[in-house]
Amino acid sequence: MGEAQQPVVVVPSASKSPSLLNHLVSLDAKLSLHFYNAFQFCPRYLLKALEVSGDGRLWFPIPVALSLSSKSPYLRFVLLFIFLGCLFDLLLVGSIKVLVRRPRPVYNKGMHLVFAADHWSFPSGHSSRVFLIANCLYLSSDPLVEAVKEFKYSGWDVPDGEVVWYSFLVVFIWSILTSASRILLGRHYVFDVVAGSCLGVVEALLVSYFLNAFPIYSV
């Protein structure tokens, strides 16, 4: 009587997705560390100033305070746009951080954590917020032109549209520099910042769609 054949156990091959993801995460970490080390010559106080300028603790009270003090319905609409966008951004980014739970870079030093979700790195809340604000202004160009007409001084020869365009350009550059500062301060990885920036653009579009579909405040 022959020996009983042993059952053949087939071990499923590892999925390529995790290994690819690990490779991308490792590449992201190396690239981020390279930028962090290469730009150590940047004055830290300037990077910190950019960090403070994009802090959510500023961008919630600022639109409210300006809206209460402004008599322009056009400016109030833009401020409402920014406020609703920042609120949406806070909820969405916080939820994603808690779900993904990517640790911040180990070389991140001296960061004050406000919320529990701030322990996590992906996506960058500063990047999403500043790009949200920049795109809120871009999508509100018509109301901003009308607001400029209300506030500009007599004898001002600069066309209203150019004032709005140059203002947007300044804010856009600020959003890029603030996002870059997150990497140079060691707060985030490159992909955190890229994802946060893209998220901010999408958030602005969604809030704009909401305000157009449900005009809770019209001008």
Side-chain angles (χ1 to χ4, degrees):
M1 188 173 179
E3 295 182 359
Q5 291 185 346
Q6 297 295 324
V8 178
V9 179
V10 179
V11 179
S13 59
S15 172
K16 293 182 180 180
S17 297
S19 60
L20 177 60
L21 179 60
N22 291 337
H23 176 72
L24 292 175
V25 169
S26 176
L27 180 62
D28 184 30
K30 291 178 181 178
L31 185 63
S32 303
L33 181 59
H34 172 75
F35 283 132
Y36 175 77
N37 289 327
F39 287 86
Q40 285 297 302
F41 63 87
C42 292
R44 191 170 178 85
Y45 69 88
L46 289 179
L47 300 177
K48 289 286 291 180
L50 288 169
E51 179 177 58
V52 172
S53 71
D55 197 305
R57 288 170 294 181
L58 287 178
W59 284 103
F60 276 102
I62 284 178
V64 174
L66 291 178
S67 180
L68 293 175
S69 61
S70 174
K71 297 180 180 179
S72 170
Y74 302 103
L75 185 57
R76 285 184 178 180
F77 174 80
V78 177
L79 294 169
L80 175 64
F81 192 177
I82 293 176
F83 176 79
L84 291 178
C86 288
L87 183 61
F88 181 42
D89 174 73
L90 178 66
L91 296 174
L92 187 57
V93 170
S95 300
I96 296 175
K97 282 178 180 287
V98 172
L99 287 174
V100 176
R101 293 177 175 265
R102 184 184 192 184
R104 290 184 182 270
V106 294
Y107 46 85
N108 174 34
K109 305 297 182 182
M111 181 179 180
H112 178 65
L113 301 176
V114 180
F115 302 102
D118 288 336
H119 287 279
W120 309 112
S121 188
F122 179 88
S124 167
H126 271 71
S127 299
S128 64
R129 187 178 305 110
V130 294
F131 269 88
L132 163 79
I133 294 168
N135 282 273
C136 284
L137 296 179
Y138 176 74
L139 295 171
S140 304
S141 57
D142 290 340
L144 283 174
V145 168
E146 296 300 323
V148 169
K149 290 179 180 178
E150 294 178 344
F151 288 103
K152 74 175 183 179
Y153 298 102
S154 59
W156 194 355
D157 296 329
V158 182
D160 303 326
E162 287 190 16
V163 174
V164 172
W165 169 250
Y166 287 126
S167 299
F168 167 72
L169 185 61
V170 170
V171 173
F172 182 67
I173 293 174
W174 164 72
S175 66
I176 294 176
L177 294 177
T178 301
S179 297
S181 74
R182 310 310 291 156
I183 303 169
L184 305 187
L185 282 170
R187 307 296 194 222
H188 288 281
Y189 298 101
V190 171
F191 190 63
D192 301 337
V193 169
V194 173
S197 302
C198 294
L199 185 62
V201 176
V202 173
E203 289 171 342
L205 292 172
L206 291 175
V207 175
S208 176
Y209 175 81
F210 172 80
L211 288 175
N212 289 325
F214 306 96
I216 57 179
Y217 187 94
S218 59
V219 291

PDB file of all heavy atoms in Angstrom, residues 107-139:
ATOM      1  N   TYR A 107      11.681  63.899  12.724  1.00  0.00           N
ATOM      2  CA  TYR A 107      12.471  65.106  12.974  1.00  0.00           C
ATOM      3  C   TYR A 107      11.594  66.339  13.172  1.00  0.00           C
ATOM      4  O   TYR A 107      12.098  67.462  13.211  1.00  0.00           O
ATOM      5  CB  TYR A 107      13.472  65.332  11.835  1.00  0.00           C
ATOM      6  CG  TYR A 107      12.894  65.172  10.449  1.00  0.00           C
ATOM      7  CD1 TYR A 107      12.252  66.232   9.800  1.00  0.00           C
ATOM      8  CD2 TYR A 107      12.985  63.955   9.783  1.00  0.00           C
ATOM      9  CE1 TYR A 107      11.721  66.087   8.532  1.00  0.00           C
ATOM     10  CE2 TYR A 107      12.451  63.796   8.510  1.00  0.00           C
ATOM     11  CZ  TYR A 107      11.824  64.869   7.888  1.00  0.00           C
ATOM     12  OH  TYR A 107      11.288  64.710   6.629  1.00  0.00           O
ATOM     13  N   ASN A 108      10.295  66.153  13.275  1.00  0.00           N
ATOM     14  CA  ASN A 108       9.384  67.265  13.560  1.00  0.00           C
ATOM     15  C   ASN A 108       9.553  67.689  15.015  1.00  0.00           C
ATOM     16  O   ASN A 108       9.313  66.911  15.937  1.00  0.00           O
ATOM     17  CB  ASN A 108       7.945  66.820  13.293  1.00  0.00           C
ATOM     18  CG  ASN A 108       6.932  67.870  13.696  1.00  0.00           C
ATOM     19  OD1 ASN A 108       7.190  69.068  13.580  1.00  0.00           O
ATOM     20  ND2 ASN A 108       5.793  67.439  14.186  1.00  0.00           N
ATOM     21  N   LYS A 109       9.977  68.924  15.208  1.00  0.00           N
ATOM     22  CA  LYS A 109      10.267  69.410  16.559  1.00  0.00           C
ATOM     23  C   LYS A 109       9.484  70.686  16.859  1.00  0.00           C
ATOM     24  O   LYS A 109       9.241  71.508  15.984  1.00  0.00           O
ATOM     25  CB  LYS A 109      11.768  69.704  16.720  1.00  0.00           C
ATOM     26  CG  LYS A 109      12.679  68.534  16.378  1.00  0.00           C
ATOM     27  CD  LYS A 109      12.460  67.346  17.317  1.00  0.00           C
ATOM     28  CE  LYS A 109      13.430  66.220  16.976  1.00  0.00           C
ATOM     29  NZ  LYS A 109      13.208  65.024  17.833  1.00  0.00           N
ATOM     30  N   GLY A 110       9.119  70.841  18.124  1.00  0.00           N
ATOM     31  CA  GLY A 110       8.540  72.089  18.597  1.00  0.00           C
ATOM     32  C   GLY A 110       7.194  72.426  18.009  1.00  0.00           C
ATOM     33  O   GLY A 110       6.898  73.596  17.789  1.00  0.00           O
ATOM     34  N   MET A 111       6.360  71.421  17.784  1.00  0.00           N
ATOM     35  CA  MET A 111       5.035  71.681  17.213  1.00  0.00           C
ATOM     36  C   MET A 111       3.985  71.630  18.306  1.00  0.00           C
ATOM     37  O   MET A 111       3.941  70.690  19.099  1.00  0.00           O
ATOM     38  CB  MET A 111       4.709  70.648  16.127  1.00  0.00           C
ATOM     39  CG  MET A 111       3.358  70.880  15.476  1.00  0.00           C
ATOM     40  SD  MET A 111       3.030  69.667  14.184  1.00  0.00           S
ATOM     41  CE  MET A 111       1.413  70.230  13.641  1.00  0.00           C
ATOM     42  N   HIS A 112       3.123  72.642  18.329  1.00  0.00           N
ATOM     43  CA  HIS A 112       2.038  72.687  19.312  1.00  0.00           C
ATOM     44  C   HIS A 112       0.812  72.014  18.716  1.00  0.00           C
ATOM     45  O   HIS A 112       0.312  72.432  17.672  1.00  0.00           O
ATOM     46  CB  HIS A 112       1.713  74.132  19.687  1.00  0.00           C
ATOM     47  CG  HIS A 112       0.572  74.256  20.653  1.00  0.00           C
ATOM     48  ND1 HIS A 112       0.642  73.771  21.948  1.00  0.00           N
ATOM     49  CD2 HIS A 112      -0.672  74.784  20.507  1.00  0.00           C
ATOM     50  CE1 HIS A 112      -0.514  74.016  22.558  1.00  0.00           C
ATOM     51  NE2 HIS A 112      -1.323  74.627  21.697  1.00  0.00           N
ATOM     52  N   LEU A 113       0.342  70.956  19.359  1.00  0.00           N
ATOM     53  CA  LEU A 113      -0.807  70.199  18.870  1.00  0.00           C
ATOM     54  C   LEU A 113      -2.078  70.736  19.506  1.00  0.00           C
ATOM     55  O   LEU A 113      -2.182  70.840  20.721  1.00  0.00           O
ATOM     56  CB  LEU A 113      -0.643  68.707  19.195  1.00  0.00           C
ATOM     57  CG  LEU A 113       0.606  68.036  18.595  1.00  0.00           C
ATOM     58  CD1 LEU A 113       0.702  66.592  19.058  1.00  0.00           C
ATOM     59  CD2 LEU A 113       0.585  68.111  17.084  1.00  0.00           C
ATOM     60  N   VAL A 114      -3.049  71.100  18.665  1.00  0.00           N
ATOM     61  CA  VAL A 114      -4.303  71.669  19.144  1.00  0.00           C
ATOM     62  C   VAL A 114      -5.361  70.588  19.310  1.00  0.00           C
ATOM     63  O   VAL A 114      -6.049  70.509  20.319  1.00  0.00           O
ATOM     64  CB  VAL A 114      -4.799  72.761  18.171  1.00  0.00           C
ATOM     65  CG1 VAL A 114      -6.110  73.369  18.676  1.00  0.00           C
ATOM     66  CG2 VAL A 114      -3.746  73.842  18.003  1.00  0.00           C
ATOM     67  N   PHE A 115      -5.492  69.722  18.291  1.00  0.00           N
ATOM     68  CA  PHE A 115      -6.474  68.651  18.313  1.00  0.00           C
ATOM     69  C   PHE A 115      -5.772  67.305  18.308  1.00  0.00           C
ATOM     70  O   PHE A 115      -4.602  67.202  17.923  1.00  0.00           O
ATOM     71  CB  PHE A 115      -7.419  68.752  17.103  1.00  0.00           C
ATOM     72  CG  PHE A 115      -8.152  70.065  17.010  1.00  0.00           C
ATOM     73  CD1 PHE A 115      -7.739  71.044  16.118  1.00  0.00           C
ATOM     74  CD2 PHE A 115      -9.248  70.322  17.822  1.00  0.00           C
ATOM     75  CE1 PHE A 115      -8.407  72.256  16.026  1.00  0.00           C
ATOM     76  CE2 PHE A 115      -9.918  71.531  17.749  1.00  0.00           C
ATOM     77  CZ  PHE A 115      -9.497  72.489  16.856  1.00  0.00           C
ATOM     78  N   ALA A 116      -6.490  66.270  18.733  1.00  0.00           N
ATOM     79  CA  ALA A 116      -5.911  64.923  18.750  1.00  0.00           C
ATOM     80  C   ALA A 116      -5.509  64.487  17.348  1.00  0.00           C
ATOM     81  O   ALA A 116      -4.499  63.807  17.163  1.00  0.00           O
ATOM     82  CB  ALA A 116      -6.914  63.944  19.346  1.00  0.00           C
ATOM     83  N   ALA A 117      -6.291  64.905  16.343  1.00  0.00           N
ATOM     84  CA  ALA A 117      -5.983  64.534  14.962  1.00  0.00           C
ATOM     85  C   ALA A 117      -4.673  65.133  14.482  1.00  0.00           C
ATOM     86  O   ALA A 117      -4.083  64.656  13.508  1.00  0.00           O
ATOM     87  CB  ALA A 117      -7.118  64.963  14.040  1.00  0.00           C
ATOM     88  N   ASP A 118      -4.188  66.188  15.170  1.00  0.00           N
ATOM     89  CA  ASP A 118      -2.942  66.831  14.754  1.00  0.00           C
ATOM     90  C   ASP A 118      -1.725  65.945  14.978  1.00  0.00           C
ATOM     91  O   ASP A 118      -0.626  66.275  14.505  1.00  0.00           O
ATOM     92  CB  ASP A 118      -2.753  68.153  15.512  1.00  0.00           C
ATOM     93  CG  ASP A 118      -3.712  69.229  15.028  1.00  0.00           C
ATOM     94  OD1 ASP A 118      -4.160  69.130  13.887  1.00  0.00           O
ATOM     95  OD2 ASP A 118      -3.999  70.159  15.806  1.00  0.00           O
ATOM     96  N   HIS A 119      -1.903  64.844  15.699  1.00  0.00           N
ATOM     97  CA  HIS A 119      -0.794  63.902  15.858  1.00  0.00           C
ATOM     98  C   HIS A 119      -0.431  63.255  14.530  1.00  0.00           C
ATOM     99  O   HIS A 119       0.686  62.765  14.363  1.00  0.00           O
ATOM    100  CB  HIS A 119      -1.147  62.817  16.875  1.00  0.00           C
ATOM    101  CG  HIS A 119      -1.149  63.309  18.293  1.00  0.00           C
ATOM    102  ND1 HIS A 119       0.001  63.452  19.030  1.00  0.00           N
ATOM    103  CD2 HIS A 119      -2.164  63.700  19.100  1.00  0.00           C
ATOM    104  CE1 HIS A 119      -0.297  63.899  20.245  1.00  0.00           C
ATOM    105  NE2 HIS A 119      -1.613  64.063  20.313  1.00  0.00           N
ATOM    106  N   TRP A 120      -1.370  63.237  13.601  1.00  0.00           N
ATOM    107  CA  TRP A 120      -1.185  62.521  12.341  1.00  0.00           C
ATOM    108  C   TRP A 120      -0.816  63.475  11.223  1.00  0.00           C
ATOM    109  O   TRP A 120      -1.125  64.668  11.267  1.00  0.00           O
ATOM    110  CB  TRP A 120      -2.443  61.731  11.995  1.00  0.00           C
ATOM    111  CG  TRP A 120      -2.913  60.877  13.137  1.00  0.00           C
ATOM    112  CD1 TRP A 120      -4.045  61.030  13.870  1.00  0.00           C
ATOM    113  CD2 TRP A 120      -2.228  59.758  13.707  1.00  0.00           C
ATOM    114  NE1 TRP A 120      -4.126  60.081  14.850  1.00  0.00           N
ATOM    115  CE2 TRP A 120      -3.019  59.275  14.783  1.00  0.00           C
ATOM    116  CE3 TRP A 120      -1.034  59.096  13.419  1.00  0.00           C
ATOM    117  CZ2 TRP A 120      -2.656  58.186  15.556  1.00  0.00           C
ATOM    118  CZ3 TRP A 120      -0.667  58.006  14.195  1.00  0.00           C
ATOM    119  CH2 TRP A 120      -1.472  57.563  15.246  1.00  0.00           C
ATOM    120  N   SER A 121      -0.161  62.939  10.199  1.00  0.00           N
ATOM    121  CA  SER A 121       0.496  63.765   9.195  1.00  0.00           C
ATOM    122  C   SER A 121      -0.284  63.929   7.898  1.00  0.00           C
ATOM    123  O   SER A 121      -0.157  64.952   7.232  1.00  0.00           O
ATOM    124  CB  SER A 121       1.877  63.180   8.884  1.00  0.00           C
ATOM    125  OG  SER A 121       2.627  64.029   8.058  1.00  0.00           O
ATOM    126  N   PHE A 122      -1.050  62.925   7.503  1.00  0.00           N
ATOM    127  CA  PHE A 122      -1.699  62.952   6.187  1.00  0.00           C
ATOM    128  C   PHE A 122      -3.192  63.233   6.307  1.00  0.00           C
ATOM    129  O   PHE A 122      -3.882  62.552   7.049  1.00  0.00           O
ATOM    130  CB  PHE A 122      -1.505  61.604   5.485  1.00  0.00           C
ATOM    131  CG  PHE A 122      -2.153  61.535   4.122  1.00  0.00           C
ATOM    132  CD1 PHE A 122      -1.456  61.942   3.004  1.00  0.00           C
ATOM    133  CD2 PHE A 122      -3.455  61.081   3.974  1.00  0.00           C
ATOM    134  CE1 PHE A 122      -2.049  61.887   1.748  1.00  0.00           C
ATOM    135  CE2 PHE A 122      -4.054  61.028   2.726  1.00  0.00           C
ATOM    136  CZ  PHE A 122      -3.341  61.427   1.612  1.00  0.00           C
ATOM    137  N   PRO A 123      -3.675  64.242   5.547  1.00  0.00           N
ATOM    138  CA  PRO A 123      -2.961  65.209   4.704  1.00  0.00           C
ATOM    139  C   PRO A 123      -2.576  66.446   5.503  1.00  0.00           C
ATOM    140  O   PRO A 123      -2.950  66.573   6.668  1.00  0.00           O
ATOM    141  CB  PRO A 123      -4.007  65.547   3.638  1.00  0.00           C
ATOM    142  CG  PRO A 123      -5.305  65.479   4.392  1.00  0.00           C
ATOM    143  CD  PRO A 123      -5.134  64.366   5.396  1.00  0.00           C
ATOM    144  N   SER A 124      -1.873  67.354   4.870  1.00  0.00           N
ATOM    145  CA  SER A 124      -1.479  68.594   5.536  1.00  0.00           C
ATOM    146  C   SER A 124      -2.669  69.536   5.619  1.00  0.00           C
ATOM    147  O   SER A 124      -3.192  69.989   4.593  1.00  0.00           O
ATOM    148  CB  SER A 124      -0.334  69.268   4.764  1.00  0.00           C
ATOM    149  OG  SER A 124      -0.140  70.594   5.210  1.00  0.00           O
ATOM    150  N   GLY A 125      -3.083  69.866   6.837  1.00  0.00           N
ATOM    151  CA  GLY A 125      -4.204  70.776   7.029  1.00  0.00           C
ATOM    152  C   GLY A 125      -3.873  72.204   6.636  1.00  0.00           C
ATOM    153  O   GLY A 125      -4.716  72.922   6.116  1.00  0.00           O
ATOM    154  N   HIS A 126      -2.624  72.619   6.870  1.00  0.00           N
ATOM    155  CA  HIS A 126      -2.218  73.963   6.450  1.00  0.00           C
ATOM    156  C   HIS A 126      -2.298  74.096   4.931  1.00  0.00           C
ATOM    157  O   HIS A 126      -2.782  75.102   4.408  1.00  0.00           O
ATOM    158  CB  HIS A 126      -0.788  74.259   6.913  1.00  0.00           C
ATOM    159  CG  HIS A 126      -0.692  74.866   8.276  1.00  0.00           C
ATOM    160  ND1 HIS A 126      -0.963  74.145   9.418  1.00  0.00           N
ATOM    161  CD2 HIS A 126      -0.354  76.130   8.671  1.00  0.00           C
ATOM    162  CE1 HIS A 126      -0.779  74.937  10.479  1.00  0.00           C
ATOM    163  NE2 HIS A 126      -0.426  76.138  10.052  1.00  0.00           N
ATOM    164  N   SER A 127      -1.811  73.084   4.221  1.00  0.00           N
ATOM    165  CA  SER A 127      -1.815  73.142   2.761  1.00  0.00           C
ATOM    166  C   SER A 127      -3.229  73.165   2.213  1.00  0.00           C
ATOM    167  O   SER A 127      -3.541  73.936   1.288  1.00  0.00           O
ATOM    168  CB  SER A 127      -1.047  71.948   2.186  1.00  0.00           C
ATOM    169  OG  SER A 127       0.293  71.958   2.620  1.00  0.00           O
ATOM    170  N   SER A 128      -4.092  72.331   2.755  1.00  0.00           N
ATOM    171  CA  SER A 128      -5.477  72.321   2.274  1.00  0.00           C
ATOM    172  C   SER A 128      -6.159  73.649   2.564  1.00  0.00           C
ATOM    173  O   SER A 128      -6.905  74.183   1.735  1.00  0.00           O
ATOM    174  CB  SER A 128      -6.262  71.165   2.912  1.00  0.00           C
ATOM    175  OG  SER A 128      -6.367  71.322   4.318  1.00  0.00           O
ATOM    176  N   ARG A 129      -5.866  74.222   3.723  1.00  0.00           N
ATOM    177  CA  ARG A 129      -6.522  75.479   4.114  1.00  0.00           C
ATOM    178  C   ARG A 129      -6.083  76.653   3.234  1.00  0.00           C
ATOM    179  O   ARG A 129      -6.928  77.421   2.761  1.00  0.00           O
ATOM    180  CB  ARG A 129      -6.231  75.784   5.581  1.00  0.00           C
ATOM    181  CG  ARG A 129      -7.010  76.971   6.140  1.00  0.00           C
ATOM    182  CD  ARG A 129      -6.692  77.165   7.603  1.00  0.00           C
ATOM    183  NE  ARG A 129      -6.938  75.957   8.373  1.00  0.00           N
ATOM    184  CZ  ARG A 129      -5.976  75.200   8.919  1.00  0.00           C
ATOM    185  NH1 ARG A 129      -4.705  75.549   8.812  1.00  0.00           N
ATOM    186  NH2 ARG A 129      -6.272  74.117   9.594  1.00  0.00           N
ATOM    187  N   VAL A 130      -4.776  76.787   3.007  1.00  0.00           N
ATOM    188  CA  VAL A 130      -4.311  77.951   2.250  1.00  0.00           C
ATOM    189  C   VAL A 130      -4.709  77.850   0.778  1.00  0.00           C
ATOM    190  O   VAL A 130      -5.031  78.860   0.141  1.00  0.00           O
ATOM    191  CB  VAL A 130      -2.780  78.137   2.393  1.00  0.00           C
ATOM    192  CG1 VAL A 130      -2.427  78.484   3.831  1.00  0.00           C
ATOM    193  CG2 VAL A 130      -2.008  76.909   1.928  1.00  0.00           C
ATOM    194  N   PHE A 131      -4.717  76.636   0.227  1.00  0.00           N
ATOM    195  CA  PHE A 131      -5.159  76.491  -1.156  1.00  0.00           C
ATOM    196  C   PHE A 131      -6.672  76.624  -1.264  1.00  0.00           C
ATOM    197  O   PHE A 131      -7.188  77.081  -2.295  1.00  0.00           O
ATOM    198  CB  PHE A 131      -4.685  75.155  -1.735  1.00  0.00           C
ATOM    199  CG  PHE A 131      -3.344  75.251  -2.404  1.00  0.00           C
ATOM    200  CD1 PHE A 131      -2.180  75.086  -1.677  1.00  0.00           C
ATOM    201  CD2 PHE A 131      -3.251  75.532  -3.760  1.00  0.00           C
ATOM    202  CE1 PHE A 131      -0.941  75.199  -2.285  1.00  0.00           C
ATOM    203  CE2 PHE A 131      -2.022  75.640  -4.378  1.00  0.00           C
ATOM    204  CZ  PHE A 131      -0.855  75.477  -3.642  1.00  0.00           C
ATOM    205  N   LEU A 132      -7.376  76.250  -0.221  1.00  0.00           N
ATOM    206  CA  LEU A 132      -8.818  76.503  -0.172  1.00  0.00           C
ATOM    207  C   LEU A 132      -9.081  78.008  -0.223  1.00  0.00           C
ATOM    208  O   LEU A 132      -9.916  78.479  -1.010  1.00  0.00           O
ATOM    209  CB  LEU A 132      -9.411  75.912   1.099  1.00  0.00           C
ATOM    210  CG  LEU A 132     -10.798  76.424   1.501  1.00  0.00           C
ATOM    211  CD1 LEU A 132     -11.879  75.748   0.676  1.00  0.00           C
ATOM    212  CD2 LEU A 132     -11.056  76.234   2.979  1.00  0.00           C
ATOM    213  N   ILE A 133      -8.380  78.775   0.610  1.00  0.00           N
ATOM    214  CA  ILE A 133      -8.578  80.223   0.664  1.00  0.00           C
ATOM    215  C   ILE A 133      -8.243  80.864  -0.681  1.00  0.00           C
ATOM    216  O   ILE A 133      -8.991  81.715  -1.189  1.00  0.00           O
ATOM    217  CB  ILE A 133      -7.723  80.830   1.791  1.00  0.00           C
ATOM    218  CG1 ILE A 133      -8.222  80.347   3.156  1.00  0.00           C
ATOM    219  CG2 ILE A 133      -7.733  82.355   1.724  1.00  0.00           C
ATOM    220  CD1 ILE A 133      -7.285  80.641   4.301  1.00  0.00           C
ATOM    221  N   ALA A 134      -7.116  80.447  -1.280  1.00  0.00           N
ATOM    222  CA  ALA A 134      -6.722  81.009  -2.569  1.00  0.00           C
ATOM    223  C   ALA A 134      -7.785  80.742  -3.629  1.00  0.00           C
ATOM    224  O   ALA A 134      -8.135  81.625  -4.426  1.00  0.00           O
ATOM    225  CB  ALA A 134      -5.375  80.434  -3.007  1.00  0.00           C
ATOM    226  N   ASN A 135      -8.320  79.548  -3.641  1.00  0.00           N
ATOM    227  CA  ASN A 135      -9.319  79.206  -4.653  1.00  0.00           C
ATOM    228  C   ASN A 135     -10.691  79.790  -4.336  1.00  0.00           C
ATOM    229  O   ASN A 135     -11.476  80.032  -5.256  1.00  0.00           O
ATOM    230  CB  ASN A 135      -9.395  77.689  -4.811  1.00  0.00           C
ATOM    231  CG  ASN A 135      -8.255  77.144  -5.642  1.00  0.00           C
ATOM    232  OD1 ASN A 135      -8.325  77.090  -6.860  1.00  0.00           O
ATOM    233  ND2 ASN A 135      -7.181  76.754  -4.975  1.00  0.00           N
ATOM    234  N   CYS A 136     -10.986  80.025  -3.071  1.00  0.00           N
ATOM    235  CA  CYS A 136     -12.211  80.752  -2.728  1.00  0.00           C
ATOM    236  C   CYS A 136     -12.161  82.157  -3.317  1.00  0.00           C
ATOM    237  O   CYS A 136     -13.157  82.655  -3.861  1.00  0.00           O
ATOM    238  CB  CYS A 136     -12.386  80.829  -1.210  1.00  0.00           C
ATOM    239  SG  CYS A 136     -12.962  79.297  -0.444  1.00  0.00           S
ATOM    240  N   LEU A 137     -11.011  82.802  -3.224  1.00  0.00           N
ATOM    241  CA  LEU A 137     -10.860  84.138  -3.793  1.00  0.00           C
ATOM    242  C   LEU A 137     -10.945  84.095  -5.315  1.00  0.00           C
ATOM    243  O   LEU A 137     -11.558  84.969  -5.938  1.00  0.00           O
ATOM    244  CB  LEU A 137      -9.531  84.749  -3.356  1.00  0.00           C
ATOM    245  CG  LEU A 137      -9.369  85.013  -1.855  1.00  0.00           C
ATOM    246  CD1 LEU A 137      -7.992  85.601  -1.570  1.00  0.00           C
ATOM    247  CD2 LEU A 137     -10.451  85.946  -1.341  1.00  0.00           C
ATOM    248  N   TYR A 138     -10.320  83.077  -5.908  1.00  0.00           N
ATOM    249  CA  TYR A 138     -10.357  82.954  -7.366  1.00  0.00           C
ATOM    250  C   TYR A 138     -11.787  82.745  -7.863  1.00  0.00           C
ATOM    251  O   TYR A 138     -12.210  83.361  -8.855  1.00  0.00           O
ATOM    252  CB  TYR A 138      -9.471  81.788  -7.800  1.00  0.00           C
ATOM    253  CG  TYR A 138      -9.510  81.520  -9.283  1.00  0.00           C
ATOM    254  CD1 TYR A 138      -8.858  82.365 -10.184  1.00  0.00           C
ATOM    255  CD2 TYR A 138     -10.212  80.434  -9.790  1.00  0.00           C
ATOM    256  CE1 TYR A 138      -8.891  82.130 -11.543  1.00  0.00           C
ATOM    257  CE2 TYR A 138     -10.267  80.191 -11.151  1.00  0.00           C
ATOM    258  CZ  TYR A 138      -9.601  81.038 -12.026  1.00  0.00           C
ATOM    259  OH  TYR A 138      -9.650  80.802 -13.373  1.00  0.00           O
ATOM    260  N   LEU A 139     -12.546  81.902  -7.175  1.00  0.00           N
ATOM    261  CA  LEU A 139     -13.925  81.611  -7.574  1.00  0.00           C
ATOM    262  C   LEU A 139     -14.875  82.759  -7.235  1.00  0.00           C
ATOM    263  O   LEU A 139     -16.018  82.761  -7.690  1.00  0.00           O
ATOM    264  CB  LEU A 139     -14.400  80.318  -6.912  1.00  0.00           C
ATOM    265  CG  LEU A 139     -13.658  79.042  -7.351  1.00  0.00           C
ATOM    266  CD1 LEU A 139     -14.052  77.854  -6.470  1.00  0.00           C
ATOM    267  CD2 LEU A 139     -13.942  78.731  -8.814  1.00  0.00           C
TER     268      LEU A 139
END
